Each structure stands twice: as structure tokens, then as C-alpha cells.
Amino acid sequence: MEPIQKSMKEWVRNSNLQEQLDKAKQELLSDPLVQTFLQKYSDVTDEMIEQGLVKLYEFQKERHHCLECPGLSACPNMMKGYQPEAVISRGSIDLHYRACSLKEEVEQQKLQQQLMKSLYVPRDILDASFESLDRSTEREEASRKALAFAMSASPGEEGQGLYFYGKFGVGKTHMMGAIMNALKSRKIESLIVYTPDFFREMKQAIGDGTFQEKLDMVKQAKVLILDDIGAETISGWIRDDVLGAILQHRMLEKLPTLFTSNYDYEELEEHLAYSERGGIEELKAKRIMERIKHFTTFVRVDGKNRREK
């Protein structure tokens, strides 16, 4: 956009300076947008107008840009996506800026996207919807329970989640993406985590000082999805200090947790019982599983591998 100061200098260069200034002022004050402002504030004095000419010029020029809007990306206004509103503030003409409808739409889309977060999960999962789910008979019950959860979830009031069990490639993660999109429409935040990669990163986070920050993010998500639990290499520390801490907090705060796994409850308990020291810690594994079982409904997902060609 041509700076206002440059326009003023061009006026000064004219030989008939006063005549040109008077003409520009008259054109400015006769502009319909400026006239509407002056009619709205009937107590505007000539002195206020004289002192506020630059702001009135900015108001007129940028509002005309808005009337001939070239689109948000090509917006020529000084503050892209914002339009000025002329007001009287403390006895002077001033400008307040507010986001235009296009800017508000973009910000709303960003806000909606912030409601859906993922760690290490393919972005296409976040585009899943219940309309795009495989409606085959084998997945009908699982789809129905997924939709029922998405429509009734109430984080902070009801902490019951789902445990989706099924073989590789039957669409468990896709269903979770559909749940997230349905939750988004209800303005409920969700976070999906690919569990093996998340646990690996938590080990590294000890060294770089980000462990507690990352742990808190997962603990406090309104709806948490732990995708492919059981595929990780388990250790006592991961089981007790990471997974155990997450589940304990979410249980106390009534925050729903959903799981997908190739293991059923019993198989996952066996997996969690193994220790990196080579021993079996059945009691500690059982404690974790009691939390998972108590706060999830087991859902079997059947069907053939959707990834097979």
C-alpha cells in the first residue's frame, strides 16, 4: 500500500499547495464513508477534523480497499485482514481495527485445527470422518460405539473411554480420526499419540529437560488416544513412571482415554509384565491394566486388512 506520508508529500510538491490541500480535504470529507462517520458523531468539531485528517484519510483509503477486496492473501491494508473503524476517543478522531470476515474465518479454522492434535500419527488420519468409514458388517458395532462416544463424551465429568482391539490394518486408527473430527465439531480438544514413538521420545526428553512438559501435555489432554499400545518396547520405567502417571492423572480428573491395540486386555497385561531386566512383574502390570479395564469399554474391530492390495 502507498504510504500516507508519500501521498502527503506529493500534495506538497504541487505549486498550488493550499488549493490542492483544500480540494483533497473536500474530497475526503464528502466521501460517503467519511460522511457516515461524521453523521454518527454529531459532536465532531472542525478542530477535531483538522487534527484528524491523516486518520480520516487512512480510514477512507483502507475501507475502500475492503469494498474492492482482492482476497485475504492480497489484502493491501497496513494490517492484513483488518479493517479500520473511525471513532471518537478522548476528544480526538482515532481508528480501531477489527478483523474482517475473511480473517475471522481463517482464525476460526486455525482454532478448529488446534482442537485436533497428533504426535507421530499420519496427517491423513485427521481427515477421517464417520461418513468415510468402512460400513461393512464386521465393523458396524465398532463404528456405532465410536460414534456414540464422540457424541456423548464429557471430559471432566465422565472419564469412560474405549479400547479398540483388532488385527493389523482393520481400521482402528481411522476410526479414532473420525472420533476426533466429531469431537472437534463439539469444540472438544483431542490428542492422538502413536505410542511407540512417544515412549521413545520420553526417554530422550530426560536428557533435554522437556520430560515434564511433554508428560503434562499428554496427561492433561481433554480426550487422549493412545494408538497402537503394546507395539512399544516396554520397560519398568515407561510402564510405571510414564504410562502409569498418565493414567493415574486422567482417572482422577475424569478425562477419557481411548486405546487401539493388536493385543486384547490379557495379552497387553502379559506385554506390560515384562521387565527390561528380564524378569516378570505381574503385579505392576496388573495395576496398570486395572486402570485401563475399569475406564474403557472393550471394542473388537474385525474385518480384513485394509492395507492389503
Side-chain angles (χ1 to χ4, degrees):
M1 185 193 77
E2 181 185 21
I4 295 170
Q5 292 84 352
K6 184 178 178 181
S7 297
M8 292 296 190
K9 288 179 182 177
E10 289 178 358
W11 291 350
V12 174
R13 291 194 194 100
N14 280 277
S15 55
N16 301 320
L17 174 60
Q18 191 59 51
E19 181 182 341
Q20 293 296 321
L21 286 173
D22 290 342
K23 181 181 178 181
K25 175 182 174 182
Q26 200 58 43
E27 289 177 354
L28 175 65
L29 295 179
S30 62
D31 184 277
L33 290 171
V34 177
Q35 278 292 306
T36 299
F37 161 71
L38 294 175
Q39 291 168 12
K40 180 179 179 181
Y41 296 96
S42 56
D43 56 342
V44 176
T45 65
D46 290 341
E47 182 181 0
M48 290 164 64
I49 292 174
E50 286 295 333
Q51 293 177 348
L53 282 176
V54 171
K55 290 196 172 180
L56 283 176
Y57 177 79
E58 180 181 335
F59 167 72
Q60 176 219 33
K61 190 166 189 177
E62 298 213 334
R63 286 301 292 267
H64 277 285
H65 288 158
C66 295
L67 291 174
E68 301 173 0
C69 178
L72 185 59
S73 61
C75 176
N77 285 356
M78 285 191 294
M79 294 176 61
K80 183 177 289 189
Y82 290 84
Q83 54 186 200
E85 179 182 355
V87 298
I88 299 299
S89 176
R90 298 180 181 179
S92 300
I93 295 174
D94 201 358
L95 299 180
H96 290 173
Y97 277 84
R98 62 179 179 83
C100 69
S101 58
L102 295 180
K103 180 69 173 179
E104 287 179 344
E105 183 179 342
V106 169
E107 292 302 315
Q108 183 61 28
Q109 289 174 353
K110 287 182 179 179
L111 180 62
Q112 288 286 305
Q113 283 305 117
Q114 288 173 4
L115 293 172
M116 295 176 60
K117 301 174 184 176
S118 69
L119 293 176
Y120 323 109
V121 175
R123 294 295 303 176
D124 62 324
I125 293 298
L126 300 185
D127 295 327
S129 67
F130 283 102
E131 290 76 14
S132 66
L133 288 183
D134 184 344
R135 298 175 184 272
S136 61
T137 305
E138 298 96 332
R139 298 186 178 92
E140 184 177 354
E141 182 182 1
S143 298
R144 180 174 54 79
K145 288 183 177 179
L147 179 59
F149 171 84
M151 293 297 100
S152 64
S154 183
E157 298 178 11
E158 172 55 61
Q160 195 70 14
L162 299 172
Y163 186 97
F164 275 47
Y165 159 73
K167 300 305 179 184
F168 180 81
V170 295
K172 301 184 296 297
T173 304
H174 193 79
M175 284 188 186
M176 294 299 174
I179 289 174
M180 294 179 74
N181 267 303
L183 290 172
K184 180 179 75 170
S185 68
R186 296 180 56 211
K187 294 182 169 54
I188 296 177
E189 175 197 68
S190 60
L191 168 66
I192 184 169
V193 173
Y194 181 61
T195 309
D197 282 349
F198 170 65
F199 285 162
R200 274 194 292 272
E201 178 159 335
M202 292 304 287
K203 292 178 181 178
Q204 297 171 0
I206 292 291
D208 61 26
T210 62
F211 174 81
Q212 195 60 49
E213 176 186 351
K214 291 172 180 175
L215 184 66
D216 287 344
M217 177 182 67
V218 175
K219 283 167 57 176
Q220 296 167 10
K222 296 301 182 184
V223 175
L224 173 65
I225 300 170
L226 293 176
D227 185 43
D228 212 6
I229 190 167
E232 71 284 344
T233 301
I234 199 64
S235 71
W237 177 76
I238 285 292
R239 180 194 59 219
D240 302 329
D241 296 329
V242 180
L243 181 59
I246 290 170
L247 297 181
Q248 178 69 11
H249 175 86
R250 300 186 64 77
M251 177 183 70
L252 294 175
E253 297 298 322
K254 296 185 178 180
L255 298 173
T257 307
L258 290 77
F259 302 81
T260 73
S261 184
N262 296 334
Y263 291 160
D264 62 20
Y265 284 153
E266 288 71 27
E267 291 168 332
L268 182 61
E269 184 172 330
E270 287 182 20
H271 171 72
L272 294 175
Y274 284 99
S275 167
E276 72 274 20
R277 299 183 183 87
I280 303 295
E281 298 178 326
E282 294 181 356
L283 183 58
K284 291 184 177 181
K286 192 174 290 294
R287 286 174 180 163
I288 296 289
M289 286 308 304
E290 283 304 311
R291 294 172 188 169
I292 294 176
K293 289 178 182 179
H294 186 70
F295 286 98
T296 60
T297 298
F298 187 83
V299 181
R300 187 183 185 94
V301 185
D302 290 315
K304 70 176 187 177
N305 190 334
R306 299 169 67 221
R307 301 175 191 176
E308 290 180 349
K309 297 183 178 180

